[in-house]
Amino acid sequence: ARESEQRVGSFNPQELANTAWTFAKLGVPAPELFKAIASTSEQRIAFFKPQELSNTAWAFATLGVHAPELFEAITHASLQRIGGFNAQDFSNTAWAFAKFGIHAPELVHAIARESEQGIGELEP
């Protein structure tokens, strides 16, 4: 965690999201690392793809790491890229926001609208 924390400033969006996802998947709390990931991600959020946005939100929510500024940035970036989200991205993002009780009605409506339009593409 310490080594990643020192290098996080040089990470691209995929590396930021993957690092957060890995620590969350393993259930390893790393508060200082996640603080660095949040700060760097906020600065680079314009370059995050839908999967990177949703995985980052999922990772922070899974470990219970509150990062209000990051989630605000994820909200705005997700609204801009909502057409590129797949079912898993919708699910991860909605779950993460719900877990923290974050009130983001515009994002919730966009997820609902896009999900409804793509419902025929889902596999049973």
Side-chain angles (χ1 to χ4, degrees):
R2 236 182 242 140
E3 184 177 329
S4 292
E5 183 183 328
Q6 293 171 352
R7 296 179 43 213
V8 95
S10 67
F11 286 4
N12 65 39
Q14 183 177 6
E15 292 166 333
L16 290 164
N18 287 352
T19 301
W21 181 90
T22 301
F23 276 81
K25 185 72 173 169
L26 295 173
V28 177
E32 292 304 313
L33 173 61
F34 272 72
K35 184 178 178 181
I37 290 172
S39 176
T40 304
S41 295
E42 289 168 33
Q43 295 169 17
R44 300 190 180 141
I45 203 77
F47 303 103
F48 276 58
K49 295 176 184 171
Q51 184 178 3
E52 295 158 356
L53 293 166
S54 68
N55 284 354
T56 300
W58 178 89
F60 275 74
T62 295
L63 288 178
V65 178
H66 291 270
E69 293 85 9
L70 174 60
F71 273 76
E72 184 175 329
I74 289 172
T75 298
H76 295 296
S78 295
L79 286 168
Q80 293 173 348
R81 295 168 188 75
I82 200 77
F85 276 52
N86 64 30
Q88 189 68 54
D89 299 331
F90 289 137
S91 175
N92 286 350
T93 303
W95 177 83
F97 277 73
K99 182 158 192 282
F100 282 136
I102 296 172
H103 186 71
E106 192 175 353
L107 179 58
V108 171
H109 291 295
I111 289 172
R113 181 185 64 247
E114 293 293 325
S115 296
E116 187 177 317
Q117 291 174 0
I119 200 84
E121 299 170 14
L122 296 177
E123 294 180 24

